[in-house]
Amino acid sequence: MMNRILIKNAKIVNEGSIFEGDVLIENEFIVEIADFISAKSSDCKIIDAEGNFLIPGAIDDQVHFREPGLTHKGDIESESRAAVAGGITSFIEQPNTIPNALTQEILEEKYQIAENNSFANYSFMMGASNDNLAEVLKTNPKNVAGIKIFLGSSTGNMLVDNDEVLERIFSSTPLLIAVHCEDETTIKNNLEKFKAEYGDDIPVSAHHLIRSEEACYLSSSKAIALAKKTGARLHIFHLSTAKEMELFTNKIPLEQKKITAEVCIHHLWFTNADYDTKGNFIKWNPAVKTENDRNALWEALLDDRIDVIATDHAPHTLEEKQQSYLKAPSGGPLVQHAVVAMFEAYLQGKISVEKIVQKMAHNPAILFKIEKRGFVKVGYYADLAIVNSGLPWTVNKDNIFAKCGWSPFEDFTFRSRITHTFVNGELVYHNFKVKDIRRGKRLLFDR
């Protein structure tokens, strides 16, 4: 039986414009977009968008959903549920699970878990280490998002610190290489200085001084130099400093860029001033830095030096985060609140809705060459979200979907709410309720 849904009276946001109209979905796909579409048959379900924004579902190019091996923090089922509740319909997950995704067999096991359990569409990065180049080169560019390299140890044991290996990876693969850039030596030296002063009682407010601007810039500038030397396709995750912004350009169309940039919600939202109230709950790697850094990130986002907004969703339990600074792990849950956080910025006059959609849906699709997703277009998968920008709600433990049960946004009142999320043509989320319909599909890539 054909599944037909007609979305009426929407402010459709697509490719830099907003227009009022209707969208007809048949099974998994958008089949018609028009000013007015009549429901021609009784088997068509009608959803009145009531003049609210209809956007392509966000594509989050960097998440850590913790499965396998770390499922006390989160799993593909729980975190993809949180994602669709937040209007994120596709995600790309990282390889530092346990075991690390350093072989094709382990990578494929993650895809099998997602096929059974994911509410959202999914892809998984293949991990690189100092000694798995042969496995990296087996990666299929049609159905794997890319290669992930940690140039700073962060969480897990995947640091690639052998320059010869790094150059061989950059020279050998046509796939997109995504990197976490922090210089390990700089971080270790900074940490020793703070240990000498504070012992084991280092305050969390020192985090951005330990994982410093210099640590980020040294690593990202080195990665970019290597990409230019080898011709590699490089994507730099979670940029956090003003200084790094000089490394990127807006003079080239995204489709032609060989070096691209991502910023995460927390680096656009918080500053080091927030450590006093949020403590370890905003401890991320790279660190949340200064107001000047945040302002520079916004400027680069708006002028297109930064191409993509993501979350780096990386949950830990409340107990883990409540430990001392040195023991508390870095990372936090963000997928449920990313889109509404950006709509809050829209309501504050910082960014347009069109630009939000560009950075959270269109650009990830273009940058990774994702097939038939990221746009409100006929022939594309119906991955969509309806956003009411005048429906306030307060984040609390009762409405948090992440398995860890907390959020850095707890007690904050957002003025926008995701009211509906569609994945592959199925309404999977409506007003704080996720239906038990796991419609996520493996992302495919035009390459």
Side-chain angles (χ1 to χ4, degrees), residues 22 62 129 225 349 353 388:
D22 302 347
Q62 188 192 179
S129 70
V353 174
N388 183 331

Side-chain angles (χ1 to χ4, degrees), residues 22 44 77 79 81 87 114 119-120 126 135 157 166 173 221 227 299 315 329 337 340 419 443:
D22 302 347
C44 185
E77 180 183 336
E79 307 314 285
R81 182 189 283 113
F119 288 87
M126 175 65 183
E135 284 292 313
N157 188 28
L166 201 56
T173 180
S221 57
E299 187 181 330
H337 306 117
V340 289
T419 59
L443 297 176

Side-chain angles (χ1 to χ4, degrees), residues 321-337:
K321 283 300 232 179
Q322 286 172 333
Q323 297 177 100
S324 66
Y325 166 71
L326 284 175
K327 291 181 179 175
S330 292
L334 278 169
V335 288
Q336 187 181 346
H337 306 117

Side-chain angles (χ1 to χ4, degrees), residues 184-380:
E184 200 65 17
T185 302
T186 302
I187 293 166
K188 283 177 179 171
N189 291 341
N190 289 339
L191 182 58
E192 288 311 311
K193 287 176 197 166
F194 278 90
K195 277 186 173 175
E197 183 175 351
Y198 291 99
D200 288 338
D201 295 321
I202 298 173
V204 67
S205 56
H207 190 54
H208 74 294
L209 303 173
I210 295 168
R211 302 189 83 97
S212 62
E213 175 191 77
E214 181 193 16
C216 294
Y217 184 82
L218 275 173
S219 184
S220 51
S221 57
K222 176 182 172 181
I224 287 170
L226 187 56
K228 288 178 176 176
K229 176 183 177 182
T230 59
R233 172 67 186 89
L234 180 67
H235 184 51
I236 300 190
F237 277 159
H238 45 41
L239 289 150
S240 63
T241 73
K243 190 170 173 60
E244 288 171 293
M245 295 306 98
E246 70 194 42
L247 298 169
F248 300 95
T249 183
N250 55 10
K251 307 295 185 206
I252 307 169
L254 179 59
E255 292 86 345
Q256 296 170 26
K257 283 187 181 183
K258 294 279 280 185
I259 297 166
T260 50
E262 175 210 272
V263 69
C264 289
I265 296 293
H266 44 287
H267 293 123
L268 293 172
W269 189 279
F270 300 105
T271 73
N272 63 303
D274 295 306
Y275 287 124
D276 290 342
T277 54
K278 295 288 184 180
N280 291 331
F281 295 109
I282 61 163
K283 183 187 178 190
W284 277 281
N285 299 341
V288 166
K289 296 187 173 68
T290 68
E291 185 176 1
N292 180 59
D293 290 307
R294 181 177 65 179
N295 292 343
L297 293 171
W298 270 106
E299 187 181 330
L301 178 71
L302 295 173
D303 74 15
D304 296 335
R305 281 173 290 159
I306 291 178
D307 306 292
V308 168
I309 300 168
T311 67
D312 192 18
H313 175 95
H316 299 284
T317 67
L318 202 54
E319 293 72 26
E320 288 168 331
K321 283 300 232 179
Q322 286 172 333
Q323 297 177 100
S324 66
Y325 166 71
L326 284 175
K327 291 181 179 175
S330 292
L334 278 169
V335 288
Q336 187 181 346
H337 306 117
V339 173
V340 289
M342 292 310 299
F343 268 80
E344 193 67 26
Y346 153 67
L347 292 170
Q348 292 167 2
K350 291 181 182 174
I351 190 170
S352 68
V353 174
E354 298 95 315
K355 186 69 88 171
I356 295 169
V357 166
Q358 179 194 11
K359 302 294 183 176
M360 299 189 84
H362 299 341
N363 283 5
I366 293 166
L367 191 151
F368 284 90
K369 300 185 177 178
I370 301 170
E371 285 187 1
K372 293 183 180 176
R373 300 190 192 277
F375 295 84
V376 186
K377 280 185 179 179
V378 170
Y380 273 56

Side-chain angles (χ1 to χ4, degrees), residues 23-229:
V23 174
L24 180 62
I25 300 165
E26 289 185 357
N27 295 331
E28 298 174 337
F29 297 100
I30 297 169
V31 295
E32 188 178 354
I33 302 167
D35 293 342
F36 177 83
I37 302 171
S38 62
K40 298 183 179 73
S41 65
S42 59
D43 65 346
C44 185
K45 177 176 179 164
I46 297 173
I47 293 173
D48 189 348
E50 299 176 336
N52 293 308
F53 294 107
L54 178 69
I55 65 171
I59 300 170
D60 193 342
D61 78 351
Q62 188 192 179
V63 303
H64 302 265
F65 281 179
R66 304 306 193 195
E67 190 171 9
L70 297 162
T71 52
H72 65 288
K73 301 173 190 278
D75 55 51
I76 288 169
E77 180 183 336
S78 65
E79 307 314 285
S80 68
R81 182 189 283 113
V84 298
I88 291 171
T89 54
S90 298
F91 63 85
I92 298 173
E93 210 259 359
Q94 304 306 302
N96 56 330
T97 38
I98 298 175
N100 298 154
L102 295 172
T103 69
Q104 295 298 324
E105 183 181 18
I106 294 169
L107 181 65
E108 201 53 42
E109 285 170 2
K110 293 177 75 166
Y111 279 103
Q112 292 303 315
I113 295 167
E115 186 178 340
N116 294 325
N117 296 329
S118 186
F119 288 87
N121 306 306
Y122 51 88
S123 191
F124 296 89
M125 287 277 191
M126 175 65 183
S129 70
N130 281 329
D131 53 13
N132 79 329
L133 181 61
E135 284 292 313
V136 167
L137 295 181
K138 294 177 189 172
T139 307
N140 183 349
K142 289 292 292 181
N143 64 7
V144 177
I147 310 300
K148 173 68 179 287
I149 303 178
F150 287 90
L151 301 179
S153 60
S154 192
T155 305
N157 188 28
M158 295 186 61
L159 177 65
V160 179
D161 56 3
N162 183 318
D163 286 347
E164 187 182 328
V165 169
L166 201 56
E167 184 158 344
R168 277 166 58 204
I169 296 170
F170 273 57
S171 302
S172 304
T173 180
L175 276 156
L176 178 146
I177 298 169
V179 287
H180 174 135
C181 287
E182 290 183 288
D183 182 68
E184 200 65 17
T185 302
T186 302
I187 293 166
K188 283 177 179 171
N189 291 341
N190 289 339
L191 182 58
E192 288 311 311
K193 287 176 197 166
F194 278 90
K195 277 186 173 175
E197 183 175 351
Y198 291 99
D200 288 338
D201 295 321
I202 298 173
V204 67
S205 56
H207 190 54
H208 74 294
L209 303 173
I210 295 168
R211 302 189 83 97
S212 62
E213 175 191 77
E214 181 193 16
C216 294
Y217 184 82
L218 275 173
S219 184
S220 51
S221 57
K222 176 182 172 181
I224 287 170
L226 187 56
K228 288 178 176 176
K229 176 183 177 182

